[in-house]
Amino acid sequence: MNNIHLINHILIDHKIAILRDEKTKCKQFREVIEEIAMLETLEVLKDAPTKTVTVKTPLEMVEQTIIKENSIVIVPILRAGLGMVNGVTAMLPAVKVGHIGIARNEETLEPVEYMCKLPQDIQDKMVILLDPMLATGGSACAAIQVLKNRGVKNIKMLNILAVPEGVEKVAKAHPDVDIYIAKIDRCLNEKGYILPGLGDAGDRIFGTK
């Protein structure tokens, strides 16, 4: 599937090892999530909307390519996606941030939308969905459909860990959405958690378990 992009880098692998460790405390876990998001942002923005400007250096004028102002929106899928926001905004401080709340029913594993707050002009932007974990793919598919229902055409999905079944579900349901992943793990367990994974990303980011 051409819309799947694996981000292979030893520095990201090193940081994922820290995330996996059950002894990693909340503060460090949160910081490392942000650091990985920063590194992944470099890859996902390779085809960001750009324009050419003229800059005056101390010596002469030069043409320079920059990212177009107000051309990108990031949308974390609540709540774990919030952990990636500071990493992305460290690279793009002026970026607008929307929010989509998708909860997983722990019995059916089906997604349930409970919140959606997006910029009014989002349909004209490159939109980057943020979620550390791509497990069953249900929440990701639901969030992508929320964006498409609002006219968004340029959507990218940024994850840290995923499993083959989740990747396949999203890639097939939305072949026009590029999916950026740092690591594809083995499988899901009977409760829908990624193995070997890193536990519940939301709980570990916010210290709720």
Side-chain angles (χ1 to χ4, degrees), residues 33 37 72-89 95-103 113-119 122 127-133 139-140 142-144 146-147 155-159 205-206:
I33 286 279
I72 299 171
V73 173
I74 61 173
V75 180
I77 300 177
L78 304 181
R79 65 185 165 132
L82 290 172
M84 301 175 73
V85 169
N86 286 348
V88 180
T89 57
V95 72
K96 291 182 179 180
V97 183
H99 298 85
I100 294 177
I102 304 286
E113 179 187 339
Y114 64 89
M115 177 187 173
C116 181
K117 186 70 173 179
L118 302 171
I122 194 169
V127 178
I128 305 172
L129 274 174
L130 306 177
D131 198 348
M133 314 288 275
S139 294
I144 291 169
V146 167
L147 293 174
I155 304 171
K156 298 181 183 296
M157 182 87 196
L158 188 58
N159 308 108
I205 289 168
F206 297 108

Side-chain angles (χ1 to χ4, degrees), residues 5-207:
H5 308 269
L6 282 175
I7 307 172
N8 293 311
H9 197 288
I10 184 57
L11 186 55
I12 293 179
D13 285 349
H14 176 88
K15 293 179 182 299
I16 288 175
I18 298 171
L19 294 183
R20 292 194 193 278
D21 192 337
E22 66 178 2
K23 297 189 294 293
T24 298
K25 302 299 183 184
C26 178
K27 178 179 182 294
Q28 185 182 22
F29 190 92
R30 186 183 301 131
E31 291 170 347
V32 173
I33 286 279
E34 292 176 4
E35 291 166 358
I36 293 174
M38 288 178 64
L39 294 170
E40 289 188 308
T41 299
L42 296 175
E43 186 69 22
V44 76
L45 291 182
K46 280 185 174 180
D47 60 348
T50 62
K51 69 176 184 179
T52 301
V53 297
T54 301
V55 178
K56 187 178 186 300
T57 80
L59 300 176
E60 63 181 20
M61 305 297 290
V62 62
E63 287 192 344
Q64 187 69 42
T65 302
I66 65 170
I67 295 175
K68 286 183 179 178
E69 299 94 340
N70 195 29
S71 63
I72 299 171
V73 173
I74 61 173
V75 180
I77 300 177
L78 304 181
R79 65 185 165 132
L82 290 172
M84 301 175 73
V85 169
N86 286 348
V88 180
T89 57
M91 307 296 286
L92 292 170
V95 72
K96 291 182 179 180
V97 183
H99 298 85
I100 294 177
I102 304 286
R104 183 174 66 173
N105 184 305
E106 295 301 328
E107 294 182 359
T108 66
L109 303 183
E110 292 299 316
V112 179
E113 179 187 339
Y114 64 89
M115 177 187 173
C116 181
K117 186 70 173 179
L118 302 171
Q120 291 184 348
D121 56 352
I122 194 169
Q123 66 275 5
D124 301 320
K125 314 301 183 187
M126 171 192 282
V127 178
I128 305 172
L129 274 174
L130 306 177
D131 198 348
M133 314 288 275
L134 177 52
T136 64
S139 294
C141 285
I144 291 169
Q145 194 58 54
V146 167
L147 293 174
K148 288 185 173 181
N149 290 346
R150 285 159 175 78
V152 182
K153 296 179 176 60
N154 187 2
I155 304 171
K156 298 181 183 296
M157 182 87 196
L158 188 58
N159 308 108
I160 295 176
L161 296 186
V163 288
E165 49 265 60
V167 173
E168 183 177 4
K169 179 173 182 175
V170 178
K172 286 186 175 180
H174 300 283
D176 55 332
V177 174
D178 286 317
I179 307 167
Y180 293 82
I181 308 162
K183 184 73 65 177
I184 297 181
D185 275 3
R186 187 174 74 253
C187 65
L188 297 174
N189 67 10
E190 66 280 359
K191 294 184 178 180
Y193 286 95
I194 293 175
L195 296 177
L198 46 77
D200 187 295
D203 284 337
R204 296 192 68 187
I205 289 168
F206 297 108

